[in-house]
Amino acid sequence: MLRGLVRLLALPPPAARYKSTANLDYSRYPTLQESEIEETFTRGSGPGGQAVNKTSNCVFLRHLPTNITIKCHTHRLASKNRVEARKLLLEKLDAHINGEHSIAAQIKAQEQRKSTERRRRQGKLQEMKKSWQERERPDGGTEGKNK
Amino acid sequence: MLRNLSLRSLRITRALTHCNYATNVPVTTALEGWPAKLKAAGIEDTEFNIKCIVSHVLNRKFNTVPDSLAQLNFNPTQLADFERFLEARCARMPLQHIIGEWDFMDITLKTAPTVFIPRPETEEFVRLVIENYKDAKHVNMLEVGCGSGAMSLSMLHTLPQVVSTAIERSKAATVLAAENAKLLGLEGRFSVHNHTMEEDKYMPEELKDQKYDLIISNPPYVKTDEFQYLHPEVVVYENLNALDGGSDGLRVARLVFELACCHLHPGGQLWLELGNEHPPLVKTIMNLKYEGRLKFLSSYYDQYKRERFVQIERV
């Protein structure tokens, strides 16, 4: 039943939050097999069904090959937490297997590069402004900027 | 008079005078003593219950409220509501009735006193049916015993090609299901009829000649002798008609089998959510009693690995 879900999650997450996804390398992105996941819910014992009004929303996942575990209780509904937990597990797996090549690390590196570039350009702009001001005030005095 | 003030109200009074806004109380302070009271009343998952109630009182989404409940305050009205809801929870009123709504798959439904609250297993059931019908051109569906409308409305929400007719014996649930359809903008594709199935009168008069492509039902399937084990939330606050499946739990399912013979197109399917010992029994009943009319196709497991769902075809 979750096959459809796992197929969906095997695709890289829609990194819609990030402006440019074209440069991200997904070639190493892991896939999640349901057979490799052990899923438990709190209060999972008993026959359940109509006889019980379960409200526990907590989902625990354990990735069997790596023993990585996820606990998720973000949402009110357990079914939503199942989806969320799998997303988190994929991210953790990506970081674990791929380290600096994980999507999260790549995005961070991109952001770093962007902010360094931004700072460099701002620094250049400041330099240019300064040298323009020095040219306009050869005496280095306190003349007003407007003539 | 001070002698009569409990320690907790003293603390709240102190908190009230020490706060920036003299009338606001930090949620963490208002909460003092309640986890113990809830546990003493037999509530498990106290943190979850509290967070749901706090979110409801503050009119905020559950996932926007921090687990620590830090930096949240109640005004006097909210504080009164909060205490009232917690008292109700201590009296074992279902959380979903207290907060007046509950989620089911991608929709949120209004809840109402006595109306059966959708269970998480049923989400898996609907997911399964959706998976089987998502590529169908048009589906004329009947739901037997729709309760709050959870199954039909989540199907209609996900699959635009489905129209649903429902029958429901409880007046309160009939009204609630219609209301939920309206709240979700699905009333154009959903109609509910207040009717109790009986032998030889399975459908209400206005539907007696109707035939459908698909029939879904989560009929009452709890065995009568299991009633003694039901929690107060279920046995006191929900309608036992929504649960009582007779001695083997299949009394109502049997009525649905007969209904399906009369109201399913050939090739149409009947999908049922039942108790976890029922699928093999249903297979036997199909083979012994319905040969040439209904055929058992398959059974499926819920997310707790219990065999619970059956798929039957009208021959």
Side-chain angles (χ1 to χ4, degrees):
Chain A
M1 237 170 289
L2 273 172
R3 250 171 282 128
L5 176 70
V6 174
R7 231 181 292 127
L8 185 74
L9 286 177
L11 297 170
R17 307 169 284 184
Y18 308 106
K19 298 277 161 61
S20 63
T21 59
N23 307 327
L24 294 176
D25 178 14
Y26 283 100
S27 61
R28 286 178 243 248
Y29 201 73
T31 51
L32 211 52
Q33 310 287 348
E34 274 304 308
S35 52
E36 292 177 341
I37 303 174
E38 179 193 76
E39 182 176 42
T40 39
F41 308 89
T42 48
R43 286 174 63 215
S45 58
Q50 284 174 353
V52 179
N53 181 359
K54 281 188 212 272
T55 55
S56 79
N57 64 337
C58 206
V59 175
F60 299 94
L61 292 183
R62 190 164 70 93
H63 187 241
L64 301 166
T66 58
N67 214 33
I68 292 175
T69 52
I70 293 282
K71 174 184 168 182
C72 181
H73 59 261
T74 321
H75 301 287
R76 195 160 62 179
L77 214 56
S79 57
K80 293 203 172 80
N81 288 329
R82 298 180 76 195
V83 178
E84 184 82 26
R86 279 161 176 79
K87 281 201 195 113
L88 292 171
L89 182 59
L90 261 177
E91 278 173 26
K92 238 183 171 179
L93 258 180
D94 188 25
H96 179 258
I97 295 173
N98 297 322
E100 59 180 18
H101 296 291
S102 70
I103 297 303
Q106 287 181 51
I107 289 170
K108 194 171 175 193
Q110 265 189 7
E111 296 294 306
Q112 278 286 70
R113 277 194 296 263
K114 273 197 210 146
S115 73
T116 317
E117 179 62 22
R118 219 181 296 130
R119 257 184 275 125
R120 188 191 70 84
R121 270 189 257 127
Q122 275 175 359
K124 198 103 204 281
L125 194 62
Q126 288 306 325
E127 265 184 57
M128 283 166 65
K129 275 187 182 166
K130 234 178 119 187
S131 57
W132 181 89
Q133 279 171 4
E134 277 167 10
R135 263 183 279 129
E136 293 297 302
R137 281 177 282 184
D139 56 353
T142 53
E143 273 185 47
K145 19 184 178 90
N146 295 320
K147 262 293 187 180
Chain B
M1 210 198 318
L2 269 175
R3 246 181 291 131
N4 298 333
L5 282 176
S6 71
L7 206 59
R8 206 177 104 259
S9 11
L10 267 175
R11 251 180 268 141
I12 289 186
T13 317
R14 244 180 265 136
L16 284 170
T17 49
H18 288 161
C19 276
N20 286 335
Y21 304 99
T23 48
N24 277 11
V25 173
V27 170
T28 45
T29 309
L31 194 46
E32 277 168 20
W34 281 106
K37 270 190 89 172
L38 286 167
K39 286 201 176 78
I43 312 293
E44 296 160 37
D45 295 329
T46 48
E47 283 170 19
F48 176 70
N49 276 272
I50 286 166
K51 191 171 165 182
C52 277
I53 291 174
V54 169
S55 312
H56 176 59
V57 171
L58 293 174
N59 200 22
R60 285 173 59 166
K61 280 191 82 168
F62 178 87
N63 60 357
T64 66
V65 171
D67 286 348
S68 63
L69 307 176
Q71 308 195 312
L72 296 171
N73 296 295
F74 286 143
N75 64 36
T77 318
Q78 290 169 332
L79 179 63
D81 282 344
F82 181 62
E83 309 227 307
R84 205 160 38 89
F85 294 154
L86 285 173
E87 283 292 359
R89 192 68 191 100
C90 287
R92 306 297 290 266
M93 181 181 278
L95 179 64
Q96 301 95 327
H97 284 164
I98 292 172
I99 66 179
E101 64 173 36
W102 201 243
D103 313 306
F104 186 83
M105 297 181 78
D106 297 327
I107 60 176
T108 299
L109 298 157
K110 201 172 156 203
T111 60
T114 78
V115 181
F116 187 77
I117 294 154
R119 308 309 204 225
E121 289 87 347
T122 309
E123 288 181 293
E124 281 307 298
F125 176 71
V126 176
R127 216 163 265 136
L128 196 53
V129 179
I130 286 173
E131 187 62 31
N132 273 268
Y133 280 87
K134 64 183 200 290
D135 297 323
K137 287 262 165 58
H138 174 81
V139 186
N140 189 13
M141 183 174 86
L142 172 72
E143 181 179 357
V144 178
C146 66
S148 57
M151 298 208 295
S152 281
L153 296 175
S154 54
M155 276 202 71
L156 295 183
H157 174 82
T158 308
L159 298 179
Q161 72 270 40
V162 179
V163 294
S164 173
T165 309
I167 58 173
E168 168 54 56
R169 69 177 287 167
S170 150
K171 197 81 178 87
T174 307
V175 170
L176 181 64
E179 199 178 343
N180 274 320
K182 203 129 186 244
L183 287 169
L184 292 164
L186 295 169
E187 73 269 33
R189 287 187 283 142
F190 178 75
S191 62
V192 53
H193 302 249
N194 184 221
H195 173 76
T196 307
M197 282 192 299
E198 288 165 12
E199 249 177 87
D200 300 321
K201 198 168 197 287
Y202 302 105
M203 291 279 254
E205 194 59 32
E206 62 271 22
L207 298 177
K208 67 174 168 53
D209 297 322
Q210 292 297 313
K211 287 207 195 304
Y212 301 91
D213 304 316
L214 167 65
I215 300 180
I216 62 172
S217 183
N218 176 17
Y221 59 70
V222 178
K223 295 179 192 159
T224 314
D225 62 10
E226 287 172 346
F227 274 33
Q228 58 186 305
Y229 304 113
L230 298 178
H231 285 180
E233 283 87 351
V234 178
V235 80
V236 176
Y237 295 92
E238 286 180 317
N239 192 337
L240 288 183
N241 283 328
L243 297 153
D244 187 4
S247 58
D248 66 354
L250 289 174
R251 184 188 72 81
V252 182
R254 285 193 181 83
L255 292 170
V256 181
F257 298 152
E258 289 297 319
L259 187 158
C261 287
C262 304
H263 295 275
L264 256 184
H265 287 306
Q269 291 186 359
L270 166 65
W271 287 76
L272 297 170
E273 178 193 327
L274 296 167
N276 59 316
E277 293 159 2
H278 288 144
L281 293 174
V282 171
K283 188 170 182 183
T284 307
I285 295 171
M286 294 298 114
N287 292 339
L288 289 178
K289 211 182 153 198
Y290 289 94
E291 203 178 325
R293 292 187 290 160
L294 296 176
K295 186 169 122 190
F296 182 94
L297 289 185
S298 187
S299 70
Y300 302 90
Y301 289 74
D302 68 18
Q303 69 269 44
Y304 305 105
K305 320 268 193 292
R306 303 223 152 82
E307 192 187 14
R308 209 188 264 294
F309 310 134
V310 298
Q311 180 187 16
I312 292 165
E313 190 179 67
R314 178 72 172 98
V315 172

